[in-house]
Amino acid sequence: MQRIIPNLKMYPFETTLMGVLKGVADYFDIAISDAWLFGGSGHAFLINIHEQLCPSGPYCWNYENFFKLVRNLGISVKDLGFFSAKSTLDERSKVEEVLKKKIDAGDPCSLLNMENQLISGYDDRHFILQQPWPKANLPITPKTLTFQTWKELGNEIHINFFTFAKTEKADDETIIKESLSYAVDIARNPDRYRLEHYYIGLKGYDTWIKAVKDGYGASHGNWWNGTVWQECREMASRYFSEIAQKYQGNISRKAIELSKRYKKLAKFLNIARDKKLADNEKLKALQEAQKVEESCINEIEELLNAFKQ
């Protein structure tokens, strides 16, 4: 026996959470561009850096307000909780039954362990997972998850499961204002969103710079954080281009300027992620990126004020 949700396809973004959500949006026939998904959800503005540049930065933060913004885009997300290697067979069986019922009803599900992955369906022995980068076939993104044992995860069991439902989409102006307010808030009040040993917003750059000075500049974590946050800033640039097209006058002008600044920021992060680049060059790129990021937040505040005029 095999139960598969048809027409459910994960997208190969570096930011796998967005790859899951794009697949869910398409499945629900929610017409949304990549940039609007990243920007409207607020993820385009996130940066989260571990003290030692652990590659877990893109995954370990407080999602609560992010899920509210995703709801504005027409998708309701439910977190079914966290499960570790110490979770009991009974606990695992209960969450598996919830997932099976959702799949039977045609509702998309996903998991986050090392990466985010869509759950396409299940058979008699395991859940069937989608890999974000199928050609790579990485062990951290297995094709299946065996019931109860979760043996594919080996010793790395630190997993959350999520279910998705279609909900009413907010109007464009609400999406824009609330996503930009979130961008400002994660920069001005990062402690609301961070977990222990991780730093968000402008403090994230300070942490990244210190980590490079401490010898982590050539690490996988440096490359991976740079890869994800560079993609997010590129999407932020495109998001502001789309905002500019929807408005005229002052709002459009400010959005065009922000699009240019985020494009510049993405280039600095692309430089900083290079494992082979000398540390002094990496530090220069990160310092410039931090300056541009700060100017962007100030400009976003001005853009929000322009909406009130």
Side-chain angles (χ1 to χ4, degrees):
M1 179 201 72
Q2 190 177 72
R3 293 290 183 92
I4 297 290
I5 298 178
N7 304 316
L8 181 63
K9 180 179 180 293
M10 185 168 182
Y11 275 67
F13 296 136
E14 308 294 359
T15 313
T16 55
L17 176 56
M18 294 290 101
V20 163
L21 286 172
K22 177 61 174 168
V24 172
D26 283 359
Y27 175 74
F28 286 149
D29 290 323
I30 298 170
I32 188 171
S33 70
D34 298 349
W36 202 258
L37 178 69
F38 272 78
S41 69
H43 205 296
F45 308 105
L46 180 68
I47 182 168
N48 184 41
I49 303 292
H50 183 268
E51 291 167 347
Q52 296 180 345
L53 272 177
C54 176
S56 58
Y59 318 98
C60 299
W61 44 279
N62 183 340
Y63 287 61
E64 184 179 357
N65 286 352
F66 167 78
F67 285 153
K68 291 178 182 176
L69 294 178
V70 172
R71 191 177 184 89
N72 281 349
L73 301 175
I75 300 170
S76 173
V77 186
K78 184 176 181 180
D79 185 347
L80 299 182
F82 175 78
F83 300 84
S84 71
K86 295 179 181 179
S87 56
T88 66
L89 291 182
D90 183 58
E91 289 170 335
R92 296 183 188 192
S93 294
K94 284 180 179 176
V95 74
E96 287 172 1
E97 286 306 309
V98 173
L99 293 167
K100 287 176 186 175
K101 286 179 181 176
K102 289 292 182 181
I103 291 166
D104 289 345
D107 296 333
C109 306
S110 75
L111 61 79
L112 167 59
N113 195 59
M114 297 295 281
E115 289 291 348
N116 293 274
Q117 294 181 256
L118 275 174
I119 303 174
S120 291
Y122 65 92
D123 58 23
D124 293 329
R125 295 186 298 114
H126 41 49
F127 289 108
I128 298 162
L129 312 181
Q130 291 201 12
Q131 297 177 297
W133 314 289
K135 290 182 181 178
N137 195 26
L138 301 175
I140 61 169
T141 58
K143 295 179 179 179
T144 59
L145 187 67
T146 301
F147 296 145
Q148 296 189 341
T149 66
W150 301 349
K151 64 181 182 180
E152 292 88 345
L153 306 181
N155 296 322
E156 290 280 3
I157 298 178
H158 35 75
I159 191 168
N160 285 73
F161 294 99
F162 304 90
T163 63
F164 303 91
K166 189 173 183 179
T167 188
E168 188 175 353
K169 192 176 178 182
D171 63 272
D172 285 351
E173 190 155 318
T174 297
I175 290 170
I176 294 166
K177 288 179 180 177
E178 293 191 2
S179 64
L180 299 187
S181 294
Y182 176 81
V184 172
D185 198 44
I186 55 178
R188 303 287 187 228
N189 302 292
D191 289 350
R192 293 181 185 175
Y193 303 92
R194 63 177 286 263
L195 305 181
E196 189 178 9
H197 305 302
Y198 296 85
Y199 293 86
I200 278 176
L202 298 174
K203 288 184 179 179
Y205 287 99
D206 293 331
T207 305
W208 196 342
I209 288 166
K210 184 179 184 301
V212 171
K213 290 178 178 178
D214 289 345
Y216 297 101
S219 67
H220 173 72
N222 181 87
W223 172 76
W224 186 240
N225 276 279
T227 297
V228 170
W229 305 130
Q230 181 269 337
E231 180 180 64
C232 287
R233 295 315 183 270
E234 179 65 35
M235 291 294 185
S237 174
R238 290 164 54 181
Y239 182 52
F240 282 111
S241 289
E242 292 188 18
I243 291 172
Q245 292 167 16
K246 292 178 181 290
Y247 292 89
Q248 296 179 333
N250 198 26
I251 290 175
S252 182
R253 285 192 295 272
K254 287 184 179 298
I256 290 169
E257 176 60 29
L258 275 160
S259 179
K260 291 176 183 176
R261 291 195 189 199
Y262 275 106
K263 187 83 171 176
K264 184 178 180 181
L265 177 50
K267 288 180 180 177
F268 282 128
L269 293 181
N270 191 45
I271 292 169
R273 76 191 183 105
D274 186 349
K275 291 181 183 179
K276 296 179 181 178
L277 188 69
D279 281 356
N280 64 324
E281 294 299 316
K282 199 164 289 183
L283 290 170
K284 284 180 189 176
L286 288 170
Q287 287 159 353
E288 289 301 316
Q290 187 178 35
K291 289 176 188 175
V292 178
E293 184 92 56
E294 188 169 15
S295 74
C296 285
I297 298 303
N298 294 332
E299 284 287 324
I300 288 173
E301 287 181 316
E302 290 186 16
L303 178 55
L304 283 167
N305 287 330
F307 275 101
K308 298 174 185 176
Q309 294 169 3

